[in-house]
């Protein structure tokens, strides 16, 4: 026997066991720091892997330094992408003034507005406009080099521009995973394609995480400088609706649209003759409008009542009665009501429905289109 | 009185008092749990005293208990020393349980899916308290187990213990060795990193060689779960690793142990004749009882071995975890696990079917039936010279095959690709590219060249040498492009080096900063790569360059360049002239044709390579 004495065997065994337990305890005490350090190491490795993948797959459009390539792809290494606003107070003030401006404009247009209130509103609107101009004059010249490349100083945060409620990491990952199929309509050299294998691309999900980690490593937090902003070669574009060229910043092919001024529109269609049959086709998207758009009215307003929009049948009956004399519509004419409902749908929402109607429809139709639709709706009695 | 047909505990308390009643209850429970030994018996045994009552209570657990019925109640004194067993059999058993326990702990955190397996591993080592330690223990234990089991077999062969009546014990032992190897190998794939994927791919490709083709292909499909190892393959290896192979292991361990009881332990060769066994014929004065002597000895071995493993895993060993498995990137220098290197080496000898299947098949077949072939009547070393010599030759041959299995041996890659790989490869098999261990702070942005090291070797002035080198790279015409334009090394390298990320578009090599000794050391290693026979024959007038740029906050990009004059190469090997010198390839104007090969990598300041 290696150790002939039983006591020595037991002693050695116990010493070894106790030492093992002490060592395990010692290791346990140090686990917290070790885990943090190792997690940093793996995060660093992920960034390195992401850098190699980015260099191999992404630089053609986003540039070696991530500052974008003109007409190919937007900058990711930019204060805009990471949501750094250089003039937060000014942005905030203009946002509040603009909100007030919209509310006052909507109020001003109502036939029921009293004369002295109208004067008050006009004065305030003029004041707001002056103030906005002042604030812009204070800020914009300092950002001119970026504005020339398409930077919108009033919308300095990418995630807000696109209405993304999650984290930037998730935004990058999702974009990598699925690409931006519709971006072909605003990037002349092709869209952002899907990169994940699940969506038909070449990369695995862990590789997408690596790339996202690498991209987020460009973040400078509070240390972004205007030089970084000016070094951007190409700013991101806000996604647009390909069926509405205006939203993509492209002038529409057809005639000028009617816009959103209800009184001007009423004056314009008074001089025209509405064609109810064409209005019917426009309403149901069967012909394109004068601005070369398909109108989406019938998507929500259908023959039967549904939860999204009031039914088409009986529109004129309800307009004529001004919704059984709803006090909110005091002073309205039925025509005014119809045109306002189309051009400024948020001004009056029919009881029991939500404010879900698409704004800006006036940009999708000419005065003649509007006249035709009004003529069609006038046939909808019940 | 109790309503029970026997006195209850309360009756005992009334009759004997609390203290005595409780003691008797405990004493009785201990006797039941140990299947025969009460507290006094245990105390006497651990003190090394003789048993005070008869029949000897220390034999009772062997007769009545489950666990000890698998162990003899006494050993022969002549085999309880370190020699002849070296305790290898007991250690093998120890590792079976050690691996089972650590493995079950790891299973809690692991999902066998390529989508999450690697992240699971990262989580185990970064977010699970003690997770890395348990993983290290499991991995080191697996390597140790293969080694211990193999040594156990080698010992058994040398002492001739496989001979009658223990032939079948040997056979089950060989099966256990195979199962151990496959257990270790199937566990290799589970981390789903590059090391795992490629080591297993190599192993599984041998299965594909099984003739005829239809069998090989289908066996391959069966094991891998598809043409390549993917989700199905990972699941199959996982199930092999945690279900099938452990089940087989426990079954054969049971058989193996039972045979030891039946035939007893073999004694040193000179003390036991063929056909005898120690199971029932151990003289009284030679008996060493399991309780307490063998038991305390075995527990001591368990405690000491565990301590050694824990010390190794805390301070000296970390189980490797390389980059995520990528079927599209085959790392240069992939090898099978070390215990299968002999097979990989054998495959390099020639025919895949013969060396990959028939040869190991014959080898294992001979080993399996060897006890039935070797009928020589003596176990003494002196009488078995030929057999022992043959076995030593077999061990030497296997070792040599293992050496041939190493990546360095017999794989022909072009010298420039090999050098770039050796400078930049990611951590693998506990090695990594020479650039990686340079501390982040010493990766000073700039351009450096091995021409500086060459100048230092020749004792030249570094500044002047670099000026001349930059001048040469910049201006000397080295080839004519197809369009009649003359070109320089600068133009060739700059065109290949994607210069967008460099602030300057021209190459301008500077001296390595004095406060970057590790970078200097890496450049020296880079320079030495050009001095090997292979490199000096394939690469004429070579130089290496390293371009370091600050890429992001905390992230540097390192471009590594190899530039050389092209030489005549036939069938992958350079053609040498009568002086043994390589022959340069010249263009129409008699200029050498300059070639370059460039790769790059990124290093993050928290990458931690230099602290590994």
């Amino acid at each position: 026997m290696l150790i002939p004495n039983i006591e020595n065997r037991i002693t050695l065994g116990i010493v070894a066991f106790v030492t093992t337990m002490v060592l395990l305890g010692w290791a346990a005490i140090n686990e917290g720091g070790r885990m943090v350090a190792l997690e940093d190491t793996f995060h660093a490795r992920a960034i390195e892997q992401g850098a190699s993948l980015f260099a191999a797959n992404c630089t053609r459009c986003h540039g070696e330094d991530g500052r974008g390539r003109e007409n190919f792809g937007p900058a990711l290494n930019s204060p805009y992408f990471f949501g750094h606003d250089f003039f937060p107070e000014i942005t905030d003030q203009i946002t509040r003034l603009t909100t007030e401006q919209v509310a006052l404009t909507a109020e001003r247009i109502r036939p029921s507005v009293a004369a002295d209130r109208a004067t008050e509103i006009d004065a305030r609107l003029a004041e707001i406009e002056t103030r906005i101009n002042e604030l812009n004059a204070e800020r914009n010249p300092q950002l001119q080099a970026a504005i020339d490349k398409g930077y919108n100083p009033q919308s300095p945060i990418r995630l807000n521009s696109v209405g993304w409620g999650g984290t930037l990491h998730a935004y990058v990952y999702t974009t990598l995973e699925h690409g931006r199929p519709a971006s072909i309509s605003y990037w002349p050299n092709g869209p952002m394609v899907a990169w994940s294998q699940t969506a038909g691309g070449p990369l695995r999900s862990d590789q997408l995480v690596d790339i996202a980690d690498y991209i987020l490593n460009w973040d400078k937090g509070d240390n972004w400088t205007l030089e970084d902003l000016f070094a951007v070669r190409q700013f991101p574009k806000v996604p647009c609706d390909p069926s509405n060229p205006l939203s993509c910043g492209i002038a529409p092919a057809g005639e000028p649209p009617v816009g959103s001024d209800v009184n001007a529109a009423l004056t314009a269609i008074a001089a025209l003759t509405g064609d109810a049959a064409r209005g019917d086709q426009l309403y149901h998207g069967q012909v394109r409008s004068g601005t070369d758009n398909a109108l989406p009215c019938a998507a929500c307003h259908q023959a039967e009542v549904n939860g999204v929009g009031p039914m088409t049948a009986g529109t004129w009956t309800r307009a004529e009665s001004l919704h059984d004399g709803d006090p909110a519509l005091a002073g309205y004419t039925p025509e005014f009501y119809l045109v306002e409902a189309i051009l400024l749908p948020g001004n009056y929402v029919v009881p029991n429905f939500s404010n879900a109607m698409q704004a800006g429809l006036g940009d999708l139709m000419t005065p003649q289109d509007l006249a035709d639709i009004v003529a069609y709706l006038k046939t909808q009695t019940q | 009185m109790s309503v029970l047909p026997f006195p209850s505990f309360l009756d005992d308390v009334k009759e004997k008092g609390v203290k005595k009643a409780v003691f008797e209850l405990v004493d009785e429970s201990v006797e039941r749990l140990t299947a025969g030994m009460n507290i006094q018996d245990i105390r006497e045994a651990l003190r090394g005293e003789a048993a005070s009552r008869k029949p000897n209570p220390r034999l009772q657990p062997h007769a009545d208990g489950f666990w000890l019925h698998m162990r003899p109640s006494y050993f022969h004194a002549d085999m309880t020393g370190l020699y002849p067993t070296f305790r290898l059999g007991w250690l093998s058993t120890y590792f079976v349980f050690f691996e089972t326990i650590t493995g079950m702990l790891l299973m809690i955190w692991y999902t066998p899916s390529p989508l999450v397996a690697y992240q699971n591993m990262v989580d185990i080592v970064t977010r699970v308290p003690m997770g890395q330690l348990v993983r290290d223990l499991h991995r080191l234990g697996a390597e140790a187990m293969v080694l211990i089991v193999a040594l156990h077999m080698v010992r058994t062969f040398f002492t001739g213990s496989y001979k009658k009546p223990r032939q079948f014990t040997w056979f089950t032992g060989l099966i256990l060795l195979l199962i151990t190897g496959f257990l270790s190998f199937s566990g290799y794939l589970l981390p789903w990193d590059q090391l795992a994927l490629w080591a297993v791919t190599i192993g599984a490709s041998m299965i594909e060689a099984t003739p005829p083709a239809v069998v090989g292909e289908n066996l391959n499909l069966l094991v891998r779960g598809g043409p390549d190892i993917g989700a199905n393959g990972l699941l199959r290896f996982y199930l092999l690793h945690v279900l099938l192979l452990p089940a087989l292991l426990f079954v054969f361990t049971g058989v193996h142990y039972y045979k030891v009881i039946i035939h007893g332990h073999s004694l040193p060769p000179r003390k036991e004749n063929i056909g005898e066994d120690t199971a029932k014929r151990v003289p009284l004065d030679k008996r060493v009882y399991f309780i307490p002597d063998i038991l305390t000895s075995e527990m001591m071995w368990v405690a000491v071995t565990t301590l050694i493993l824990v010390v190794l895993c805390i301070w000296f060993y970390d189980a490797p975890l390389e980059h995520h498995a990528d079927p599209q990137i085959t790392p240069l220098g992939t090898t099978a696990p070390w215990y299968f290197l002999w097979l990989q080496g054998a495959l390099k000898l020639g025919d895949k079917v013969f060396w990959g299947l028939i040869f190991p098949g014959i080898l294992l077949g001979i080993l399996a039936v060897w006890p039935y072939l070797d009928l020589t009547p003596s176990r003494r070393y002196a009488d078995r010279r030929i057999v022992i010599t043959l076995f030593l030759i077999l061990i030497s041959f296997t070792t040599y095959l293992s050496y041939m299995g190493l990546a360095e041996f017999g794989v022909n890659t072009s010298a420039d690709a090999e050098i770039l790989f050796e400078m930049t490869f990611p951590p693998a098999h506990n090695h990594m590219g020479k650039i990686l261990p340079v501390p982040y702070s010493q990766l000073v942005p700039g351009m450096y060249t091995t021409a500086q090291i060459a100048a230092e070797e020749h004792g030249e002035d570094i500044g002047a040498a670099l000026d001349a080198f930059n001048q040469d790279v910049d201006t000397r015409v080295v080839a004519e492009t197809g369009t009649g334009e003359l070109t320089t090394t600068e133009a060739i390298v700059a065109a290949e080096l994607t210069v967008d990320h460099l602030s300057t578009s021209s190459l301008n090599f500077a001296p390595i900063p004095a406060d970057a000794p590790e970078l200097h050391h890496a450049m020296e290693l880079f320079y030495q790569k050009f001095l090997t026979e292979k490199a000096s024959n394939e690469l004429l007038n070579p130089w290496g360059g390293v371009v370091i740029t600050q890429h992001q906050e905390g992230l540097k990009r390192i471009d590594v360049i190899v530039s050389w004059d092209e030489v005549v190469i036939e069938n992958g090997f350079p053609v040498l002239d009568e002086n043994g010198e390589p022959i340069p390839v010249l263009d129409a104007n008699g200029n050498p044709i300059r070639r370059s090969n460039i790769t790059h990598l990124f290093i993050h300041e928290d990458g931690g390579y230099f602290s590994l």
Side-chain angles (χ1 to χ4, degrees), chain A residues 1 9-10 13 20 23-24 31 34-35 38-39 41-42 44-45 48-49 51 64 204 206 214 217-218, chain B residues 80 125-127 129-130 132-133 293 296 303 307 323-326 500 551-553 602-604 606-607 609:
Chain A
M1 201 152 290
R9 286 200 298 272
I10 293 174
T20 304
L23 284 180
L24 290 179
E31 272 299 89
R34 184 199 63 75
M35 287 194 291
L38 205 56
E39 193 159 0
T41 301
F42 276 99
R45 304 263 171 97
E48 291 168 0
Q49 289 285 294
E64 291 263 5
R204 301 184 311 267
D206 60 286
Y214 164 73
N217 196 43
W218 265 311
Chain B
T80 55
V125 298
T126 63
R127 295 189 181 174
M130 310 295 272
Q132 190 183 33
L133 183 66
D293 287 310
T296 50
L307 176 63
H323 289 314
H324 193 290
D326 190 340
D500 287 19
H551 188 72
Q552 271 184 341
E553 188 86 12
F602 292 87
I603 292 187
H604 192 281
D606 294 332
Y609 300 109

Side-chain angles (χ1 to χ4, degrees), chain A residues 143-169:
Chain A
L143 300 170
Q144 199 54 51
I147 292 171
D148 291 344
K149 292 181 198 159
Y151 177 66
N152 176 0
Q154 190 50 37
S155 181
I157 298 171
R158 175 64 177 167
L159 292 191
N160 292 352
S161 307
V162 295
W164 180 268
T167 62
L168 185 61
H169 194 282

Side-chain angles (χ1 to χ4, degrees), chain A residues 67-80:
Chain A
R67 293 201 154 112
R69 204 174 145 206
E70 210 178 335
N71 285 328
F72 275 83
L76 309 168
N77 176 13
S78 102
Y80 170 65

Side-chain angles (χ1 to χ4, degrees), chain A residues 93-109 117 121-133 135-136 154 344 347:
Chain A
Q93 281 188 52
I94 294 182
T95 305
R96 275 190 277 120
L97 290 169
T98 313
T99 313
E100 192 185 346
Q101 192 180 35
V102 169
L104 289 175
T105 309
E107 189 185 344
R108 177 69 180 79
I109 201 172
R117 173 65 183 152
I121 291 173
D122 286 342
R124 178 62 187 151
L125 283 174
E127 204 178 293
I128 289 173
E129 178 131 7
T130 314
R131 184 67 191 131
I132 289 179
N133 287 340
L135 289 167
N136 275 326
Q154 190 50 37
L344 294 170
N347 268 9

Side-chain angles (χ1 to χ4, degrees), chain B residues 100-131:
Chain B
T100 307
I101 293 166
T102 51
M104 283 195 290
L105 289 173
L106 291 172
M107 278 173 81
I108 299 172
W109 308 96
Y110 181 79
T111 308
S113 153
L115 290 177
V116 294
Y118 182 78
Q119 189 55 46
N120 284 169
M121 300 313 293
V122 173
D123 287 345
I124 283 174
V125 298
T126 63
R127 295 189 181 174
V128 179
M130 310 295 272

